[in-house]
Amino acid sequence: MQLLEKLQFNEKGLIPSVIVDELGGKVLTLCYMNKDAIEKTIETGKVHVFRRSQNRLMIKGETSGHIQLVKRVFFDCEGNSLVFVVEQHVAACHAGYRTCFYREYIPKTDSFQIAENKVFDPDKVYK
């Protein structure tokens, strides 16, 4: 696969990958991929990630069914990060939000606010 030849993986064999919603361009999540995850993603058209906490390959949405269909793939000038533009089904965040970046930091008050609305109830999805 030509893409793998252009990429620079870290010492653990991983590369950070930004997942972006094709609807409006909002960042949905940041994940890590190894070569197997990239190959499986390209092969199936569905985002696969390497779960560092579980030390295993998984398809995004494995439990929830909230899959991400790949529309476009970009890599940066040094080949050390990826961007996947996806069609997101329901939500990317396990906390119930469409994006994992649902909290906004407010520097003037050194506080944060919830900047998104929940789109599903995680207690019902992750029993």
Side-chain angles (χ1 to χ4, degrees):
M1 178 182 299
Q2 285 190 50
L3 175 61
L4 292 178
E5 296 170 14
K6 299 288 185 187
L7 299 178
Q8 303 296 319
F9 294 86
N10 70 15
E11 66 282 351
K12 294 180 180 176
L14 302 174
I15 189 167
S17 302
V18 177
I19 311 299
V20 175
D21 196 336
E22 73 171 340
L23 300 176
K26 185 172 272 194
V27 173
L28 295 171
T29 192
L30 169 73
C31 60
Y32 288 86
M33 294 180 156
N34 61 9
K35 288 179 181 177
D36 290 340
I38 293 168
E39 288 173 339
K40 200 79 166 150
T41 296
I42 300 303
E43 174 187 311
T44 66
K46 297 174 184 175
V47 172
H48 287 70
V49 300
F50 183 80
R51 288 288 306 268
R52 295 174 297 164
S53 62
Q54 298 177 10
N55 197 36
R56 71 178 183 93
L57 179 70
M58 67 169 278
I59 186 171
K60 183 73 172 137
E62 181 175 274
T63 304
S64 66
H66 302 167
I67 62 169
Q68 298 170 330
L69 299 176
V70 176
K71 298 301 180 180
R72 300 179 78 187
V73 181
F74 298 87
F75 57 99
D76 74 339
C77 57
E78 294 183 1
N80 60 15
S81 62
L82 292 162
V83 172
F84 289 86
V85 178
V86 302
E87 175 186 323
Q88 176 65 57
H89 288 246
V90 184
C93 181
H94 71 277
Y97 299 90
R98 185 159 177 87
T99 172
C100 292
F101 298 96
Y102 61 89
R103 295 175 287 190
E104 180 180 3
Y105 175 69
I106 314 298
K108 288 182 181 180
T109 59
D110 190 32
S111 63
F112 72 93
Q113 66 184 14
I114 303 298
E116 301 284 330
N117 294 318
K118 279 194 173 186
V119 296
F120 75 94
D121 181 351
D123 291 333
K124 291 180 181 174
V125 172
Y126 304 106
K127 297 174 184 166

